[in-house]
Amino acid sequence: QVQLVESGGGLVQAGGSLRLSCAASGSTSSTYYMGWFRQAPGKGREFVASISWSGVQKYYTDPVKGRFAISRDNAKNTLYLQMNSLKPEDTAVYYCAAGPAQDLSLRYGPWGQGTQVTVSS
């Protein structure tokens, strides 16, 4: 299993930026995808972005393309999400995940506690 701890959320005005981090620990297969999901109030959890072990393959949901950038530092076991041009509709709790496939439908371990992102208009 992989244990994940998210950080970096906060309150920001529309148009602002935030950088989320996710620290991973525990044992897995040697390579795995990591990614971000989010859950807005009253809505289900949705995929935001994922990245391959090498960092070459990156996937984004359409609403964040061109504004968010996912990256990882395998030496530090850390995943990042740079969020620019934030919009009120980006307000959600953000969770990271690790798993064997790009869509992270299967995950190595439970969800972390998440980090709250609130974008004011």
Side-chain angles (χ1 to χ4, degrees):
Q1 282 201 348
V2 176
Q3 289 75 48
L4 303 166
V5 178
E6 303 92 343
S7 62
L11 174 63
V12 64
Q13 288 188 333
S17 298
L18 282 174
R19 188 192 195 203
L20 305 184
S21 299
C22 172
S25 61
S27 62
T28 65
S29 61
S30 59
T31 63
Y32 52 91
Y33 283 82
M34 293 191 75
W36 292 94
F37 288 73
R38 66 186 180 185
Q39 186 167 17
K43 296 186 177 181
R45 196 167 302 181
E46 65 171 355
F47 173 87
V48 176
S50 66
I51 185 170
S52 62
W53 174 262
S54 67
V56 172
Q57 286 84 37
K58 300 178 182 181
Y59 306 88
Y60 299 93
T61 187
D62 285 346
V64 309
K65 285 180 180 177
R67 300 188 298 119
F68 290 11
I70 190 170
S71 61
R72 66 191 294 172
D73 183 337
N74 292 332
K76 296 181 178 179
N77 293 323
T78 302
L79 174 72
Y80 303 99
L81 185 68
Q82 178 66 44
M83 304 187 296
N84 300 324
S85 301
L86 282 161
K87 304 175 180 180
E89 51 263 44
D90 295 318
T91 295
V93 178
Y94 284 71
Y95 301 88
C96 66
Q102 171 267 319
D103 64 357
L104 296 168
S105 55
L106 294 176
R107 291 174 287 108
Y108 295 138
W111 294 105
Q113 85 289 349
T115 186
Q116 175 71 49
V117 172
T118 303
V119 184
S120 63
S121 57

